Amino acid sequence: MLAPVESLPIRLRQWVWLGVLAFLALCLAARASAPWILNYPAAWLLPVASLVNGIFDLIIPVLTPPCRFLAGVLGAALNVCSATLRWMPWPATLALFAFVGWLARGWRLALFIAAALGYIVAAGYWQQGMNTFSMVVLAVPIAVTFGFLLGVAAHSSKYVHGMTMVMLDLLQTVPAFAFLIPLLLLFGFGPIVGLIACVVYAVAPMVHCTMLGLAGVPVALLEVGSMAGCTRGQRFWHVVLPTAKREILTGINQTTMASFSMVIMAAVIGGFNDVGWEVLNSMRKAEFGQSLLSGLVIAVLAMVVDRITFGLANPRSHVRPAWAPAWVLLVVPLLIGALLHASPGDMALIDKVQGVINPDLLNRVVIGLVHDFSAPLDAFKVFVLYHFMLPLRTGLIGAVTPFTWGFAWTPQINAVYCVTALTISAWLWFGERWRLATGVLLISALLLFGFNGLPWLAFIVVVTALGWSVGGWRLATLSVIGTSFVVSTGLYIPLGQSLYLCLLAVLICTLAGGLLGIAAAKSDRVSGLMKPVCDTLQTMPQFIFLIPALMFFQVGELTGLIAIVLYAIVPPIRYVEHGIRGVPTDLVETSRQIGCTAWQRLIHVELPVAKPVVVLGVNQTIMAALSMLPIAALVGTKDLGQQVYIALSKADAGQGMVAGLSIAFVAMITDRIMRATVSTTVKSSR
């Protein structure tokens, strides 16, 4: 049996990394004489995409008839659900949702729901909103049922548990657009593809929460059930399930939010008069005011359903009056709907409030803002592109020119840069801080040559060595397989684009989100202000984050970067606040007694103790940034996400699966490395 990395001598690990650094230097020096080191030869590419397409060519004719039958059944159910919601006059539906919100969380939630749905009416998107909601209403029960059954099976069987975890890794890391390609080939064009993709994408949260809830049932409670004479089935339904109820309801909440997110992405394939299609259509026409209106409709629907399901999952008994039976939920709105249908004149009068918000006026306002602030916006865009994004992509050698920075990167500057980096690294290495010295050299090389200038062979070796250092041989094996797959399928250049975008987004989110998290941890007022903002950002579908960035910065990589930052900034805020607030009180009091200032206490006590939680927050930020790549591809990024989007436009299942699996490998390797780092940090602190 191989010894774990932690048990190996420190000197051996130092020699391993010294060899890795020497190999990196050799590859960088040989770039000019051996071009194959930098650009993976086309003759060496593996025909994975062709193989996948060949497999699909064989199975699609076999699976098409049952899939089309299933599509017919689901289509009929979707039509019935959509027609029912459209038949209900909007005042009746609004009253229904407000009443449910009142039962779930009280009059404040009911008032919020009434105002939120009132906005949808005023914006003129009620019919489209009900079409979107009908898809969610149909998708959520299917995803919840399947996820619950799979979670129970995974909890009961170790074999099923292992297979389920692999499936969940793929579902949570493969981009959602990649799901659409094979589904499009099997089910054809139309809303059913979006519905089924919605179910597939939303299953994972329900499985996770079900497994978590069942695993959290105390063993003593199970023994009490057995001693009371319960059969296995009785014990499950009367002991286990009620105990895990809260986690299961939370799973339903998360499944619903995932369904909303996927419904909007499915609008890319069109065929359904829903809000997602309205957003996409208005964005294509550059009608940013109208896209903002329709995008807010999606966010409002998601927030309404999120608040209701969260309230049902975390009940407050004092807001649920005993005199309000469940049948009132249906009878009263149906009665209101019937009365309004019986009075078409009154309904026509009420309907005049639909569409009172003028999108043309909002379009003109947005265009005016962009025009008035075009000069500072362009200056900001140029500054970020030339001083941050371009150096990470092409390196300082290619980015620093008289046009961009005002001076050229001369050989003399290059020599000073290299000597400085080597001197700092040598000082750290001989000062017994070899890990930091290794990091300085790797970062210096990355800044000098950029992600596009890093040889593919050196990239594989460095990532594998990093996986081995923190997680042992298993993680090293995953690292070498994942990176080799991406390189050997011809996606190394898009991988570099993805990594530099994600790295820059994670750095911005960590810095800005970390500062906001510290402020929230130190002030209850700031925490109270940040909570609704974070809740809103977490409930908004990914698609929506493109709208404000696109309004002010048009199509380009900066727009994609801003959208990624907006989506991924919540985890560092919440994890940093949670980590600092979780620091033991006695440590904080001790630091005060010895005379530490607030700044010293933060740097030397609170942040070091909260480090494992903060690292987990960074991990979640990376996962969010990677999941946003295919969405950012809609505004012109040239990364792995764009490869998925191109494959979707061509219905190329092979290329789509290859690009999706590449993103999945990057996400899984990063996740395992960060988790191993947290585990090592916790062990060392003990």
Side-chain angles (χ1 to χ4, degrees):
M1 182 179 294
L2 294 172
V5 177
E6 290 81 2
S7 63
L8 296 177
I10 297 294
R11 293 297 177 188
L12 176 60
R13 280 184 275 170
Q14 290 181 4
W15 281 107
V16 168
W17 270 107
L18 195 61
V20 170
L21 292 173
F23 182 77
L24 173 62
L26 181 63
C27 290
L28 291 173
R31 292 190 317 158
S33 58
W36 63 270
I37 293 180
L38 183 60
N39 299 312
Y40 191 80
W44 296 1
L45 294 176
L46 298 178
V48 180
S50 301
L51 179 62
V52 173
N53 284 329
I55 295 174
F56 271 95
D57 290 339
L58 293 175
I59 65 175
I60 284 177
V62 178
L63 296 178
T64 297
C67 288
R68 293 298 166 88
F69 173 77
L70 178 61
V73 174
L74 292 176
L78 182 61
N79 290 334
V80 171
C81 186
S82 179
T84 302
L85 287 173
R86 289 197 305 268
W87 174 86
M88 286 280 289
W90 65 263
T93 307
L94 192 150
L96 171 64
F97 276 93
F99 190 52
V100 173
W102 178 53
L103 293 179
R105 212 66 178 174
W107 66 269
R108 292 183 180 178
L109 180 57
L111 187 61
F112 167 77
I113 290 173
L117 296 183
Y119 164 76
I120 299 178
V121 175
Y125 289 106
W126 184 259
Q127 294 296 324
Q128 294 89 338
M130 291 302 99
N131 286 336
T132 297
F133 187 67
S134 65
M135 189 175 291
V136 174
V137 167
L138 190 57
V140 168
I142 300 174
V144 166
T145 301
F146 184 75
F148 175 75
L149 295 176
L150 186 57
V152 172
H155 176 73
S156 305
S157 169
K158 291 184 178 180
Y159 176 76
V160 177
H161 182 273
M163 297 294 294
T164 302
M165 294 308 296
V166 174
M167 184 196 74
L168 291 178
D169 279 341
L170 292 176
L171 286 177
Q172 292 184 307
T173 54
V174 173
F177 279 163
F179 297 150
L180 295 176
I181 303 174
L183 294 176
L184 190 64
L185 296 175
L186 289 171
F187 294 94
F189 180 84
I192 301 304
V193 178
L195 174 65
I196 297 174
C198 182
V199 172
V200 174
Y201 183 73
V203 160
M206 189 65 200
V207 178
H208 268 305
C209 290
T210 301
M211 293 170 59
L212 178 64
L214 297 179
V217 177
V219 178
L221 200 59
L222 298 176
E223 293 177 351
V224 169
S226 300
M227 292 173 61
C230 293
T231 63
R232 186 174 180 179
Q234 290 172 333
R235 188 177 64 181
F236 177 79
W237 289 106
H238 299 291
V239 178
V240 176
L241 202 58
T243 307
K245 178 181 177 181
R246 181 171 181 175
E247 287 77 11
I248 292 173
L249 290 175
T250 302
I252 296 175
N253 172 261
Q254 296 301 311
T255 299
T256 306
M257 292 301 100
S259 299
F260 266 110
S261 181
M262 190 62 203
V263 163
I264 308 310
M265 297 180 196
V268 175
I269 63 173
F272 198 48
N273 183 28
D274 63 345
V275 185
W277 179 251
E278 292 291 336
V279 174
L280 187 63
N281 195 36
S282 56
M283 287 175 62
R284 287 171 175 171
K285 295 178 181 178
E287 296 174 344
F288 297 120
Q290 192 162 347
S291 65
L292 186 61
L293 280 179
S294 53
L296 287 176
V297 170
I298 301 171
V300 163
L301 280 174
M303 285 188 284
V304 165
V305 177
D306 174 67
R307 299 302 189 274
I308 291 176
T309 52
F310 181 80
L312 296 175
N314 302 273
R316 292 179 179 176
S317 58
H318 65 276
V319 300
R320 293 189 178 188
W323 53 265
W327 58 266
V328 175
L329 294 176
L330 292 177
V331 172
V332 172
L334 288 175
L335 182 60
I336 295 175
L339 291 175
L340 289 174
H341 274 292
S343 304
D346 294 336
M347 191 63 218
L349 184 63
I350 296 174
D351 270 339
K352 289 183 178 180
V353 301
Q354 291 205 50
V356 295
I357 299 178
N358 188 357
D360 295 332
L361 176 61
L362 191 56
N363 284 331
R364 290 194 295 270
V365 170
V366 171
I367 293 174
L369 285 175
V370 174
H371 181 268
D372 293 340
F373 293 95
S374 60
L377 288 175
D378 289 341
F380 173 77
K381 182 177 182 178
V382 169
F383 178 79
V384 174
L385 285 174
Y386 287 156
H387 293 83
F388 292 97
M389 302 182 73
L390 192 61
L392 275 177
R393 188 174 69 206
T394 64
L396 293 172
I397 293 179
V400 179
T401 64
F403 175 74
T404 57
W405 286 52
F407 63 92
W409 188 267
T410 62
Q412 293 79 10
I413 295 177
N414 191 61
V416 172
Y417 177 88
C418 294
V419 169
T420 303
L422 289 172
T423 302
I424 295 174
S425 300
W427 175 69
L428 292 171
W429 189 284
F430 291 109
E432 300 299 329
R433 303 173 70 181
W434 64 273
R435 292 184 180 85
L436 186 57
T438 302
V440 169
L441 286 176
L442 291 176
I443 293 173
S444 300
L446 184 61
L447 289 176
L448 186 61
F449 295 97
F451 279 101
N452 287 352
L454 192 64
W456 59 269
L457 193 56
F459 174 77
I460 294 175
V461 171
V462 170
V463 174
T464 303
L466 181 60
W468 171 80
S469 297
V470 300
W473 295 105
R474 289 186 178 181
L475 185 50
T477 302
L478 174 63
S479 301
V480 71
I481 292 175
T483 52
S484 299
F485 176 85
V486 178
V487 171
S488 62
T489 52
L491 296 178
Y492 182 61
I493 293 179
L495 172 65
Q497 301 279 2
S498 301
L499 291 178
Y500 107 83
L501 269 178
C502 287
L503 176 61
L504 192 55
V506 169
L507 289 176
I508 295 172
C509 289
T510 302
L511 179 60
L515 292 175
L516 291 173
I518 292 172
K522 297 296 183 180
S523 170
D524 291 337
R525 178 176 297 180
V526 175
S527 179
L529 291 174
M530 292 304 303
K531 188 178 185 304
V533 174
C534 292
D535 287 344
T536 303
L537 291 175
Q538 284 193 312
T539 53
M540 292 174 66
Q542 294 170 307
F543 212 88
I544 308 303
F545 294 95
L546 294 178
I547 298 175
L550 195 60
M551 283 194 308
F552 294 105
F553 298 101
Q554 291 80 47
V555 173
E557 290 189 342
L558 179 60
T559 301
L561 174 66
I562 294 172
I564 294 172
V565 169
L566 290 175
Y567 180 70
I569 198 171
V570 175
I573 296 175
R574 289 197 156 161
Y575 277 84
V576 169
E577 179 184 1
H578 176 69
I580 293 178
R581 287 183 179 269
V583 175
T585 308
D586 54 348
L587 285 179
V588 178
E589 292 299 327
T590 301
S591 65
R592 284 198 182 101
Q593 291 176 6
I594 63 176
C596 289
T597 63
W599 177 256
Q600 291 172 330
R601 187 165 60 251
L602 175 67
I603 298 299
H604 299 291
V605 178
E606 294 172 336
L607 286 180
V609 174
K611 181 181 177 181
V613 180
V614 174
V615 174
L616 281 177
V618 175
N619 182 27
Q620 294 301 308
T621 304
I622 296 172
M623 295 298 104
L626 288 171
S627 70
M628 192 65 184
L629 285 179
I631 311 300
L634 294 172
V635 292
T637 59
K638 300 177 180 179
D639 51 16
L640 291 174
Q642 189 194 50
Q643 300 300 312
V644 177
Y645 185 61
I646 292 174
L648 176 63
S649 64
K650 297 179 179 179
D652 189 342
Q655 187 60 28
M657 294 303 294
V658 167
L661 286 175
S662 298
I663 296 178
F665 272 124
V666 174
M668 285 189 285
I669 292 170
T670 305
D671 177 68
R672 300 301 189 275
I673 289 176
M674 297 298 290
R675 289 182 183 275
T677 302
V678 172
S679 178
T680 304
T681 302
V682 172
K683 289 179 180 179
S684 62
S685 64
R686 291 177 181 174

